[in-house]
Amino acid sequence: MAKKATTKKGVKSFGYGKLIKWFWGLFILGIVMMMLPFFLASIGALGHMPNFDELENPKSNLASEVISSDHKTLGKFYLNDNRTPIAYEDLSKHLVDNLVATEDERFYSHSGIDFKRTFSAALFMGKRGGGSTITQQLAKLLFHKRENSSTLKKLTQKIREYVIATRLERQYTKQEIIAMYYNIYDFGNNGDGIRSAARIYFGKEPGDLDMEEAAMLVGMFKNSSLYNPVRNPEGVKNRRNVVYRQMYRNDVITEKEKDSLQKLPLRLNLHPETHNAGLATYFREYLKKEMKAWIKENPKNSDGDLYDLYQDGLKIHVTIDSRMQAYAETAMKKHMVNLQTEFDKQNKKNKTAPFRNLTKKEVDALLKSHMTRTERYRVLTKEMGLSKKEALATFYKKKKMRVFSWKGEIDTIMTPLDSMRYYKKFFRAGLLSLEPQTGHIKAWVGGINHKYFKYDAVKQQKRQVGSTFKPFLYATAIDQLKMSPCETLPDAYFCVPKGRYGNLQDWCPKNSNGKYSGEDMSLRKALANSVNSISARLMDKVGPQNVIDMVHKLGIKTDIDPYPSIALGTVELSLYEMVNAYGTIANMGQYIKPIIITSIEDKAGTVLYQNVPETKDVLSPESAYVTLKLMEGVTKQGSGQRLRNGKNTWNPVYKKGIVTGHPYQFTNDIAGKTGTTQNNSDGWFMGIVPNLVTGVWVGAEDRAVHFNSTAYGQGATMALPIWGQYMKSCYGNSKLEISSNSFKKPENLSIEVDCDKWKEQNGSDKDNLLDDLDGI
């Protein structure tokens, strides 16, 4: 009996010990099996895992940013990702609090994985929310992007995200993780990253977003394609209210605040960020070409790799001042609306509208010629292989299209030929503003709408400059002959004879009104009223080649034929060249190559380029100063006089409000010149104050599209009002420090500019220089 009991006890003892071993064996095996996928994931057996360098510098495409001189973003260069990263310190507190309360309430207490949330998600099959933390979602966005469809691949991806999340937590602070999450997320509508999203949806920087704005953006983390505030505002509002509930649940707001906030509508302030929208669109297009040229000449490393303008996150610091640019664009829009309205009214009975002085046959020929120069024709013939006849036939077939109007885009049906004729009627315009002492371009408006009118009226276009060329002729006479603005020449019919200066026949220009006073006239009065007889006499004195040499020294690059007729502005130049040359005069004869880029940095802030101004003395300070004093007469007693006062209110252009913004009532010294070309096809105004030179051109694409009357078509009506409104706005902002002082007088001035003193010295009082001339 005793022996039997002993045997039973031993068996019992043996079985219990074996059970314990099996238990621990299975327990350890379970732990190993649980840990094995994470181990395999960590060594890359389940798919690629980012190494230390990839975690330290995760790849993401960064848009290159154009930054104004007053530190505002003018625009960006990007293809798919309009992303500009910011630091945690640049996020508003609302963005941080709303995100944590909604997406990961235990964010500050876990190390990448919230096990409580994970088990809850698994237990309830995700019906009570997902189990991913902010860090896991960041890991997915950085390294996986899209979720796999198969269950097995989805599981292995989730395991890898767990491992990456824990590594991210070791690599970065909680604050850095939040900033990275906001920077990497695509909020839709080109809102790649929080900075772009804040600017696009609210016109603000991320640090300025309030609670409502932050709640909307946090709600979009759920699915920005579904919760898109432009396409699905009601859905976004509902999702935003979920954010408010989570904020209440986590004691960020009170119940009363939650209830109140949920009743509010969405408050969007859309500012699309596209290449055709925003400030300085024409400038940015030109800048893009300049940057591509710089990139070719400046490789990023010794291997010859080039910077990618669209993905490398360059920071391009430019000279444009965002405030001045906005003033310029606003001034142009206001005036062009008025001008176009009047032009359309005057063309209602014009059978060949918008063209003038052309027969129907000539209009048809012009339009047909233009067809073959369009992008549409090029694509049809070169890329699609259509014959010329087949391609031209498509211009007569009606189709749906969206067209530009000053009241907004219009959806319509018309033939491509009709659309061509429609667009021909619109006046275009350009404005360029330069700081002469630095060469910095402060405002650049190349047209009325970059989406519909791509051609840049500042740099690409060259047009006849009319009387705005005359100051160069006068400057040559002052520089070579030391002539005073007070000196006189006869206002009488005058010819430069055949054979002289290469003339093939006598050149006898008429005054614009066809009349001659027959009296001696001062240079100041002659320039103020664009008297052609005096210009012809001056040209005969100095010769066209000397004038050409002068303009080239001042900064004009265009080749000019040496004929006397250039005195009247028959030469075609760009607005860019004109402002550059006037800037040299304003800078007391020192030429400075115009500057648009001050510096370029890479995404890490390393300076890659720093501008060094190119300067040279080309005109004596005395000659420059005397030329400026001569040009002051234009705004005091000539065609630019309407900048000063409200005279000539009897004129229909005032009554109809075409002189937009009048009266301007400037009292400071302004040197300027208006310009009007033949048939009123081009209107110019160039204006100078001591530290700012601004030029304006207005005209249609075709020279046959113009006002019939000089009262409407002259530079003083077409272009001057834009200058006047722009400068009024600039002077209204004292922070811009636009000078209202007199031009600085050089020491030891040998040329007399005070005409009373000059008359005393020369004993002449033939010309009454105080005539209150209108010079419309």
Side-chain angles (χ1 to χ4, degrees), residues 569-612:
T570 55
V571 62
E572 294 186 348
L573 301 173
S574 70
L575 179 59
Y576 183 90
E577 290 177 294
M578 290 295 290
V579 172
N580 187 11
Y582 271 64
T584 302
I585 297 172
N587 196 33
M588 295 300 150
Q590 184 182 54
Y591 167 81
I592 300 180
K593 184 178 180 180
I595 298 168
I596 62 169
I597 302 172
T598 54
S599 65
I600 303 170
E601 299 173 4
D602 66 14
K603 62 183 178 181
T606 303
V607 177
L608 306 175
Y609 166 81
Q610 189 77 45
N611 179 268
V612 178

Short mmCIF file of all heavy atoms in Angstrom, two decimals, residues 569-612:
data_model
loop_
_atom_site.label_atom_id
_atom_site.label_comp_id
_atom_site.label_asym_id
_atom_site.label_seq_id
_atom_site.Cartn_x
_atom_site.Cartn_y
_atom_site.Cartn_z
N GLY A 569 10.25 109.64 -80.68
CA GLY A 569 9.88 108.38 -80.02
C GLY A 569 9.36 107.32 -80.93
O GLY A 569 8.53 106.50 -80.54
N THR A 570 9.86 107.28 -82.18
CA THR A 570 9.42 106.24 -83.11
C THR A 570 10.04 104.89 -82.78
O THR A 570 9.56 103.85 -83.26
CB THR A 570 9.81 106.62 -84.55
OG1 THR A 570 11.23 106.88 -84.60
CG2 THR A 570 9.05 107.86 -85.00
N VAL A 571 11.08 104.89 -81.98
CA VAL A 571 11.76 103.65 -81.61
C VAL A 571 10.89 102.83 -80.68
O VAL A 571 10.12 103.37 -79.88
CB VAL A 571 13.12 103.97 -80.95
CG1 VAL A 571 12.93 104.76 -79.67
CG2 VAL A 571 13.90 102.70 -80.66
N GLU A 572 10.98 101.50 -80.81
CA GLU A 572 10.22 100.59 -79.94
C GLU A 572 11.12 100.07 -78.83
O GLU A 572 12.18 99.47 -79.09
CB GLU A 572 9.66 99.42 -80.76
CG GLU A 572 8.62 99.85 -81.77
CD GLU A 572 7.96 98.67 -82.46
OE1 GLU A 572 8.48 97.53 -82.33
OE2 GLU A 572 6.93 98.88 -83.12
N LEU A 573 10.70 100.31 -77.59
CA LEU A 573 11.47 99.91 -76.41
C LEU A 573 10.54 99.24 -75.40
O LEU A 573 9.33 99.39 -75.45
CB LEU A 573 12.14 101.13 -75.77
CG LEU A 573 13.11 101.93 -76.65
CD1 LEU A 573 13.53 103.20 -75.92
CD2 LEU A 573 14.32 101.10 -77.03
N SER A 574 11.14 98.54 -74.47
CA SER A 574 10.35 97.92 -73.40
C SER A 574 10.19 98.89 -72.24
O SER A 574 11.01 99.79 -72.04
CB SER A 574 11.02 96.63 -72.91
OG SER A 574 12.20 96.91 -72.19
N LEU A 575 9.14 98.68 -71.47
CA LEU A 575 8.93 99.48 -70.27
C LEU A 575 10.10 99.28 -69.31
O LEU A 575 10.52 100.23 -68.62
CB LEU A 575 7.61 99.07 -69.61
CG LEU A 575 7.22 99.76 -68.31
CD1 LEU A 575 7.12 101.27 -68.49
CD2 LEU A 575 5.89 99.21 -67.79
N TYR A 576 10.63 98.09 -69.25
CA TYR A 576 11.78 97.77 -68.40
C TYR A 576 12.98 98.67 -68.76
O TYR A 576 13.63 99.24 -67.88
CB TYR A 576 12.14 96.30 -68.60
CG TYR A 576 13.27 95.78 -67.75
CD1 TYR A 576 13.03 95.22 -66.50
CD2 TYR A 576 14.59 95.80 -68.21
CE1 TYR A 576 14.07 94.72 -65.73
CE2 TYR A 576 15.63 95.31 -67.46
CZ TYR A 576 15.36 94.76 -66.21
OH TYR A 576 16.40 94.27 -65.46
N GLU A 577 13.25 98.80 -70.05
CA GLU A 577 14.37 99.64 -70.49
C GLU A 577 14.12 101.10 -70.15
O GLU A 577 15.05 101.81 -69.71
CB GLU A 577 14.57 99.48 -72.00
CG GLU A 577 15.10 98.14 -72.43
CD GLU A 577 15.22 98.04 -73.94
OE1 GLU A 577 14.17 98.05 -74.62
OE2 GLU A 577 16.35 97.96 -74.45
N MET A 578 12.90 101.55 -70.36
CA MET A 578 12.58 102.96 -70.12
C MET A 578 12.75 103.32 -68.64
O MET A 578 13.35 104.35 -68.31
CB MET A 578 11.15 103.25 -70.57
CG MET A 578 10.96 103.23 -72.08
SD MET A 578 11.89 104.52 -72.92
CE MET A 578 10.98 105.98 -72.40
N VAL A 579 12.23 102.48 -67.77
CA VAL A 579 12.36 102.75 -66.34
C VAL A 579 13.82 102.69 -65.91
O VAL A 579 14.29 103.49 -65.09
CB VAL A 579 11.50 101.77 -65.53
CG1 VAL A 579 11.78 101.90 -64.03
CG2 VAL A 579 10.02 102.01 -65.80
N ASN A 580 14.56 101.77 -66.47
CA ASN A 580 15.99 101.64 -66.17
C ASN A 580 16.73 102.93 -66.54
O ASN A 580 17.52 103.46 -65.74
CB ASN A 580 16.55 100.45 -66.96
CG ASN A 580 17.98 100.12 -66.60
OD1 ASN A 580 18.53 100.62 -65.63
ND2 ASN A 580 18.59 99.27 -67.40
N ALA A 581 16.46 103.46 -67.74
CA ALA A 581 17.14 104.67 -68.20
C ALA A 581 16.73 105.89 -67.39
O ALA A 581 17.57 106.72 -67.01
CB ALA A 581 16.85 104.89 -69.68
N TYR A 582 15.43 106.02 -67.11
CA TYR A 582 14.96 107.13 -66.27
C TYR A 582 15.57 107.01 -64.87
O TYR A 582 15.85 108.02 -64.21
CB TYR A 582 13.44 107.12 -66.18
CG TYR A 582 12.73 107.91 -67.27
CD1 TYR A 582 12.82 107.53 -68.61
CD2 TYR A 582 11.97 109.03 -66.97
CE1 TYR A 582 12.16 108.23 -69.61
CE2 TYR A 582 11.30 109.75 -67.95
CZ TYR A 582 11.40 109.34 -69.28
OH TYR A 582 10.75 110.05 -70.27
N GLY A 583 15.75 105.78 -64.41
CA GLY A 583 16.34 105.56 -63.09
C GLY A 583 17.77 106.07 -63.00
O GLY A 583 18.20 106.58 -61.96
N THR A 584 18.51 105.94 -64.09
CA THR A 584 19.89 106.45 -64.11
C THR A 584 19.90 107.97 -63.97
O THR A 584 20.74 108.53 -63.26
CB THR A 584 20.58 106.03 -65.42
OG1 THR A 584 20.55 104.60 -65.52
CG2 THR A 584 22.03 106.50 -65.44
N ILE A 585 18.98 108.62 -64.64
CA ILE A 585 18.87 110.09 -64.50
C ILE A 585 18.49 110.44 -63.06
O ILE A 585 19.07 111.36 -62.46
CB ILE A 585 17.84 110.65 -65.49
CG1 ILE A 585 18.30 110.39 -66.94
CG2 ILE A 585 17.62 112.14 -65.26
CD1 ILE A 585 17.26 110.73 -67.99
N ALA A 586 17.54 109.73 -62.50
CA ALA A 586 17.10 110.00 -61.12
C ALA A 586 18.20 109.76 -60.11
O ALA A 586 18.23 110.39 -59.05
CB ALA A 586 15.90 109.12 -60.80
N ASN A 587 19.14 108.86 -60.44
CA ASN A 587 20.25 108.54 -59.53
C ASN A 587 21.46 109.42 -59.83
O ASN A 587 22.60 109.02 -59.60
CB ASN A 587 20.63 107.06 -59.67
CG ASN A 587 21.48 106.57 -58.51
OD1 ASN A 587 21.33 107.03 -57.38
ND2 ASN A 587 22.39 105.65 -58.79
N MET A 588 21.18 110.58 -60.35
CA MET A 588 22.21 111.59 -60.61
C MET A 588 23.32 111.07 -61.53
O MET A 588 24.50 111.34 -61.34
CB MET A 588 22.82 112.10 -59.30
CG MET A 588 21.81 112.84 -58.45
SD MET A 588 21.14 114.27 -59.32
CE MET A 588 19.51 114.39 -58.64
N GLY A 589 22.88 110.31 -62.55
CA GLY A 589 23.82 109.89 -63.59
C GLY A 589 24.55 108.60 -63.32
O GLY A 589 25.36 108.17 -64.15
N GLN A 590 24.27 107.94 -62.21
CA GLN A 590 24.94 106.67 -61.93
C GLN A 590 24.02 105.52 -62.34
O GLN A 590 22.91 105.39 -61.84
CB GLN A 590 25.30 106.53 -60.45
CG GLN A 590 26.08 105.24 -60.16
CD GLN A 590 26.41 105.05 -58.70
OE1 GLN A 590 25.52 105.08 -57.86
NE2 GLN A 590 27.69 104.87 -58.39
N TYR A 591 24.50 104.70 -63.27
CA TYR A 591 23.73 103.54 -63.72
C TYR A 591 23.89 102.40 -62.73
O TYR A 591 24.99 102.08 -62.29
CB TYR A 591 24.21 103.08 -65.10
CG TYR A 591 23.69 101.73 -65.50
CD1 TYR A 591 22.41 101.59 -66.04
CD2 TYR A 591 24.47 100.58 -65.34
CE1 TYR A 591 21.93 100.35 -66.41
CE2 TYR A 591 23.99 99.33 -65.71
CZ TYR A 591 22.72 99.22 -66.24
OH TYR A 591 22.24 97.99 -66.60
N ILE A 592 22.77 101.78 -62.34
CA ILE A 592 22.77 100.56 -61.53
C ILE A 592 21.93 99.53 -62.26
O ILE A 592 20.77 99.78 -62.58
CB ILE A 592 22.20 100.79 -60.12
CG1 ILE A 592 23.01 101.85 -59.37
CG2 ILE A 592 22.19 99.48 -59.33
CD1 ILE A 592 22.51 102.12 -57.96
N LYS A 593 22.52 98.39 -62.54
CA LYS A 593 21.77 97.33 -63.21
C LYS A 593 20.58 96.93 -62.34
O LYS A 593 20.73 96.66 -61.15
CB LYS A 593 22.68 96.12 -63.43
CG LYS A 593 22.00 95.01 -64.22
CD LYS A 593 22.94 93.84 -64.45
CE LYS A 593 22.26 92.72 -65.24
NZ LYS A 593 23.18 91.58 -65.47
N PRO A 594 19.37 96.92 -62.91
CA PRO A 594 18.19 96.59 -62.11
C PRO A 594 18.33 95.23 -61.41
O PRO A 594 18.83 94.27 -61.98
CB PRO A 594 17.06 96.56 -63.14
CG PRO A 594 17.53 97.47 -64.22
CD PRO A 594 19.02 97.27 -64.30
N ILE A 595 17.85 95.18 -60.20
CA ILE A 595 17.98 93.99 -59.35
C ILE A 595 16.59 93.48 -58.99
O ILE A 595 15.72 94.26 -58.59
CB ILE A 595 18.76 94.32 -58.06
CG1 ILE A 595 20.18 94.78 -58.40
CG2 ILE A 595 18.80 93.11 -57.11
CD1 ILE A 595 20.91 95.40 -57.22
N ILE A 596 16.40 92.17 -59.14
CA ILE A 596 15.15 91.57 -58.68
C ILE A 596 15.39 90.54 -57.57
O ILE A 596 14.50 90.28 -56.77
CB ILE A 596 14.35 90.93 -59.83
CG1 ILE A 596 15.14 89.79 -60.48
CG2 ILE A 596 13.96 91.97 -60.86
CD1 ILE A 596 14.31 88.96 -61.44
N ILE A 597 16.58 89.94 -57.53
CA ILE A 597 16.90 88.94 -56.51
C ILE A 597 18.02 89.49 -55.61
O ILE A 597 19.07 89.89 -56.11
CB ILE A 597 17.38 87.62 -57.14
CG1 ILE A 597 16.32 87.07 -58.09
CG2 ILE A 597 17.70 86.59 -56.06
CD1 ILE A 597 16.78 85.86 -58.90
N THR A 598 17.78 89.50 -54.31
CA THR A 598 18.82 89.94 -53.38
C THR A 598 19.64 88.76 -52.87
O THR A 598 20.85 88.87 -52.68
CB THR A 598 18.22 90.70 -52.19
OG1 THR A 598 17.19 89.90 -51.58
CG2 THR A 598 17.61 92.01 -52.65
N SER A 599 18.98 87.62 -52.62
CA SER A 599 19.71 86.44 -52.15
C SER A 599 18.88 85.18 -52.39
O SER A 599 17.66 85.25 -52.57
CB SER A 599 20.06 86.55 -50.67
OG SER A 599 18.90 86.56 -49.87
N ILE A 600 19.57 84.04 -52.39
CA ILE A 600 18.93 82.73 -52.52
C ILE A 600 19.48 81.82 -51.43
O ILE A 600 20.70 81.78 -51.21
CB ILE A 600 19.20 82.10 -53.91
CG1 ILE A 600 18.72 83.03 -55.03
CG2 ILE A 600 18.53 80.73 -54.02
CD1 ILE A 600 19.16 82.58 -56.42
N GLU A 601 18.59 81.12 -50.75
CA GLU A 601 19.00 80.19 -49.70
C GLU A 601 18.47 78.80 -50.03
O GLU A 601 17.43 78.66 -50.69
CB GLU A 601 18.43 80.61 -48.34
CG GLU A 601 18.88 81.98 -47.87
CD GLU A 601 18.15 82.39 -46.59
OE1 GLU A 601 17.36 81.58 -46.06
OE2 GLU A 601 18.36 83.53 -46.13
N ASP A 602 19.17 77.76 -49.54
CA ASP A 602 18.61 76.42 -49.66
C ASP A 602 17.64 76.18 -48.51
O ASP A 602 17.42 77.06 -47.67
CB ASP A 602 19.71 75.36 -49.71
CG ASP A 602 20.52 75.24 -48.42
OD1 ASP A 602 20.09 75.78 -47.38
OD2 ASP A 602 21.59 74.61 -48.45
N LYS A 603 17.05 74.99 -48.43
CA LYS A 603 16.02 74.73 -47.43
C LYS A 603 16.55 74.76 -46.00
O LYS A 603 15.80 74.95 -45.05
CB LYS A 603 15.34 73.39 -47.70
CG LYS A 603 16.25 72.18 -47.61
CD LYS A 603 15.48 70.92 -47.96
CE LYS A 603 16.39 69.69 -47.92
NZ LYS A 603 15.65 68.46 -48.30
N ALA A 604 17.87 74.62 -45.86
CA ALA A 604 18.48 74.66 -44.54
C ALA A 604 18.87 76.07 -44.12
O ALA A 604 19.34 76.29 -43.01
CB ALA A 604 19.70 73.74 -44.48
N GLY A 605 18.70 77.03 -45.03
CA GLY A 605 19.04 78.42 -44.71
C GLY A 605 20.43 78.83 -45.13
O GLY A 605 20.86 79.96 -44.86
N THR A 606 21.15 77.95 -45.80
CA THR A 606 22.49 78.29 -46.29
C THR A 606 22.38 79.23 -47.48
O THR A 606 21.64 78.96 -48.44
CB THR A 606 23.25 77.02 -46.72
OG1 THR A 606 23.32 76.12 -45.62
CG2 THR A 606 24.67 77.36 -47.17
N VAL A 607 23.12 80.35 -47.43
CA VAL A 607 23.06 81.33 -48.50
C VAL A 607 23.83 80.80 -49.71
O VAL A 607 25.02 80.50 -49.64
CB VAL A 607 23.65 82.68 -48.05
CG1 VAL A 607 23.65 83.67 -49.21
CG2 VAL A 607 22.83 83.24 -46.89
N LEU A 608 23.13 80.68 -50.83
CA LEU A 608 23.73 80.19 -52.07
C LEU A 608 24.13 81.32 -53.01
O LEU A 608 25.01 81.15 -53.85
CB LEU A 608 22.73 79.27 -52.79
CG LEU A 608 22.15 78.11 -51.99
CD1 LEU A 608 21.08 77.38 -52.82
CD2 LEU A 608 23.24 77.15 -51.57
N TYR A 609 23.45 82.46 -52.87
CA TYR A 609 23.72 83.60 -53.75
C TYR A 609 23.42 84.89 -53.02
O TYR A 609 22.42 84.99 -52.30
CB TYR A 609 22.84 83.50 -55.00
CG TYR A 609 22.79 84.77 -55.82
CD1 TYR A 609 23.81 85.09 -56.72
CD2 TYR A 609 21.71 85.65 -55.71
CE1 TYR A 609 23.75 86.25 -57.47
CE2 TYR A 609 21.64 86.81 -56.46
CZ TYR A 609 22.67 87.11 -57.34
OH TYR A 609 22.61 88.27 -58.08
N GLN A 610 24.29 85.86 -53.18
CA GLN A 610 24.08 87.19 -52.62
C GLN A 610 24.36 88.21 -53.71
O GLN A 610 25.45 88.21 -54.30
CB GLN A 610 25.02 87.43 -51.43
CG GLN A 610 24.73 88.70 -50.64
CD GLN A 610 23.54 88.55 -49.71
OE1 GLN A 610 23.42 87.55 -49.02
NE2 GLN A 610 22.68 89.54 -49.69
N ASN A 611 23.40 89.06 -54.00
CA ASN A 611 23.58 90.02 -55.09
C ASN A 611 24.63 91.07 -54.77
O ASN A 611 24.71 91.58 -53.66
CB ASN A 611 22.26 90.71 -55.41
CG ASN A 611 22.40 91.74 -56.51
OD1 ASN A 611 22.65 92.91 -56.26
ND2 ASN A 611 22.29 91.28 -57.75
N VAL A 612 25.44 91.36 -55.77
CA VAL A 612 26.41 92.47 -55.69
C VAL A 612 26.04 93.45 -56.80
O VAL A 612 26.10 93.09 -57.99
CB VAL A 612 27.86 91.97 -55.88
CG1 VAL A 612 28.82 93.15 -55.85
CG2 VAL A 612 28.22 90.95 -54.81
#
